[in-house]
Amino acid sequence: KQIRFIIMGTCSEETPIIFEKVNLYGQFLSVYESSDTYCTSCVNFFAKQGNGTLSKEVKLTMNNKHGFLYQPYPQWIVPVREWIKRN
């Protein structure tokens, strides 16, 4: 439960199906771009995971779709660094 994970541009409609037999534990930060046609919010997925999962989500509005992953933009670097440094 103390381990922190970062998920970037990953959740989709298939995510609950892929992980249906997996119980996730830990602290998850999800970062996604609102204009991305491949990925969506992870909020609903994490809500179904139960008590062992803490999650936070950052919704970007850079309008560069999945391309937000291809460069170290401050819009996602800053929250990722804060997540890593959290106590």
Side-chain angles (χ1 to χ4, degrees):
K1 293 182 182 181
Q2 301 301 323
I3 297 175
R4 284 184 240 148
F5 301 90
I6 300 167
I7 300 170
M8 296 188 59
T10 303
C11 286
S12 67
E13 292 179 7
E14 291 88 26
T15 302
I17 297 166
I18 294 167
F19 289 101
E20 70 181 330
K21 294 183 180 181
V22 176
N23 291 322
L24 298 177
Y25 290 94
Q27 301 174 35
F28 291 82
L29 170 65
S30 166
V31 180
Y32 78 102
E33 168 54 42
S34 61
S35 65
D36 194 341
T37 55
Y38 298 109
C39 303
T40 61
S41 170
C42 292
V43 170
N44 291 336
F45 172 69
F46 282 114
K48 296 177 183 176
Q49 288 300 308
N51 297 334
T53 304
L54 169 68
S55 65
K56 178 180 177 183
E57 187 161 72
V58 175
K59 176 181 176 181
L60 303 176
T61 55
M62 298 168 42
N63 293 318
N64 59 349
K65 301 182 181 178
H66 209 62
F68 86 95
L69 292 168
Y70 304 146
Q71 292 186 30
Y73 293 106
Q75 289 91 330
W76 66 261
I77 288 287
V78 171
V80 164
R81 287 181 69 196
E82 289 173 359
W83 186 257
I84 291 168
K85 291 180 178 182
R86 264 181 43 169
N87 289 332

